């Protein structure tokens, strides 16, 4: 079965405008040359506090505090160390801290919803954040997105990037979401769903979720 969603998925209305209407062009130059000249990320550029989305504000954010961790692996199952992982998400009320989001839900002054980290030698990443809320979108009548966190995984340059989404187990909105359902293979869809993990959970502080990304097998975000 096909792992990645098609560029054109009419149930997801935005793809009608975004999907390529012409066949791809063959690159005449070595495509790796562009990757080698792109920016390379060093550990000094990422502060450890960047991975805690609940820190750096005047007060505590509202909502359910969670820990999200896992490993970035290549197609052979080997860890990918020192790779930049970025996330962004809505707050617990389902609203993004972005001027284009005019959803009538409250903004949280103590939560901006973006973070980043570098994977360790075992390809492991870890974020502390707030579980995002579902939110309405205007794709179709009474459309709501399941709770999710956007992930961006970089290689050694900006030209090497996977953008995808992580979901939470047992969400009743899965059956109604055309983005989630645009992935043809049901087994591939499940690879986007995190797993609750009591060992990651910290008593009286935060619930833990585990989610691994396997490059080449984890579905990319629908175009």
């Amino acid at each position: 079965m096909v792992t990645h969603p098609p560029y054109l998925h009419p149930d997801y209305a935005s793809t009608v405008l975004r999907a390529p209407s012409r066949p791809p062009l063959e690159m005449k130059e070595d495509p790796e040359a562009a990757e080698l000249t792109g920016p390379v990320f060093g550990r000094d550029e990422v502060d450890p506090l960047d991975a805690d989305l609940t820190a750096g504000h005047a007060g505590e954010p509202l909502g359910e505090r969670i820990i999200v961790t896992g490993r970035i692996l290549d197609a052979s199952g080997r860890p990918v160390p020192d790779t930049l992982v970025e996330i962004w998400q809505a707050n617990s009320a389902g609203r993004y801290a972005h001027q284009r989001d005019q959803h009538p839900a409250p903004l949280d002054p103590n939560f901006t919803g973006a973070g980043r980290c570098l994977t360790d030698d075992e390809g492991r990443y870890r974020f502390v954040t707030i579980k995002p809320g579902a939110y309405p979108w205007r794709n179709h009548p009474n459309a709501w997105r399941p709770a999710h966190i956007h992930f961006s995984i970089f290689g050694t340059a900006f030209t090497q990037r996977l953008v995808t989404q992580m979901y939470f187990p047992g969400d009743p909105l899965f059956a109604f979401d055309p983005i989630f359902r645009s992935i043809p293979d049901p087994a591939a869809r499940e690879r986007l769903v995190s797993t609750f993990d009591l060992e990651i959970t910290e008593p009286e502080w935060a619930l833990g979720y585990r989610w691994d990304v396997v490059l080449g097998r984890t579905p990319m975000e629908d175009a």
Side-chain angles (χ1 to χ4, degrees), residues 88-90 95-103 107 111-112:
W88 63 97
Q89 63 170 92
R95 186 168 177 181
Y96 289 92
H98 192 281
Q99 62 182 2
R100 293 187 62 184
D101 188 349
Q102 298 300 313
H103 169 212
L107 286 170
F111 188 75
T112 51

Side-chain angles (χ1 to χ4, degrees), residues 93-152:
R95 186 168 177 181
Y96 289 92
H98 192 281
Q99 62 182 2
R100 293 187 62 184
D101 188 349
Q102 298 300 313
H103 169 212
L107 286 170
D108 187 343
N110 296 311
F111 188 75
T112 51
R116 63 179 185 165
C117 72
L118 287 172
T119 56
D120 65 15
D121 291 342
E122 296 298 319
R124 188 175 296 104
Y125 70 87
R126 183 181 184 274
F127 291 100
V128 176
T129 186
I130 296 297
K131 187 174 181 180
Y135 59 82
W137 60 315
R138 298 177 180 178
N139 184 77
H140 56 277
N142 203 13
W144 289 77
R145 293 283 351 262
H148 61 279
I149 297 176
H150 297 267
F151 271 71
S152 170

Side-chain angles (χ1 to χ4, degrees), residues 159-172:
T159 52
Q160 302 170 334
R161 188 186 187 198
L162 168 70
V163 179
T164 187
Q165 299 181 15
M166 186 205 86
Y167 297 89
F168 293 87
D171 198 310

Side-chain angles (χ1 to χ4, degrees), residues 9-106:
H9 185 69
D11 287 347
Y12 179 15
S14 294
T15 65
V16 176
L17 299 175
R18 296 176 181 172
S21 59
R22 299 180 181 180
L25 297 175
E26 181 181 355
M27 293 186 67
K28 300 300 182 182
E29 300 179 358
D30 181 3
E32 293 185 359
E35 297 177 355
L36 293 174
T37 57
V40 177
F41 305 102
R43 186 176 299 276
D44 291 341
E45 297 180 14
V46 180
D47 191 293
L49 288 178
D50 292 345
D52 188 348
L53 282 68
T54 68
H57 301 90
E60 292 288 329
L62 298 174
E64 177 185 317
R65 185 185 289 108
I66 61 174
I67 299 166
V68 178
T69 187
R71 301 176 73 199
I72 309 299
L73 307 169
D74 66 17
S76 299
R78 296 170 297 193
V80 181
D82 296 311
T83 194
L84 180 67
V85 181
E86 296 180 335
I87 65 171
W88 63 97
Q89 63 170 92
N91 65 18
S92 61
R95 186 168 177 181
Y96 289 92
H98 192 281
Q99 62 182 2
R100 293 187 62 184
D101 188 349
Q102 298 300 313
H103 169 212

Side-chain angles (χ1 to χ4, degrees), residues 171-196:
D171 198 310
L173 292 172
F174 287 156
F176 309 102
D177 184 56
I179 296 181
F180 183 74
R181 295 182 63 81
S182 69
I183 302 166
D185 182 6
R189 292 178 202 161
E190 290 303 312
R191 291 199 284 272
L192 292 178
V193 182
S194 61
T195 302
F196 170 72

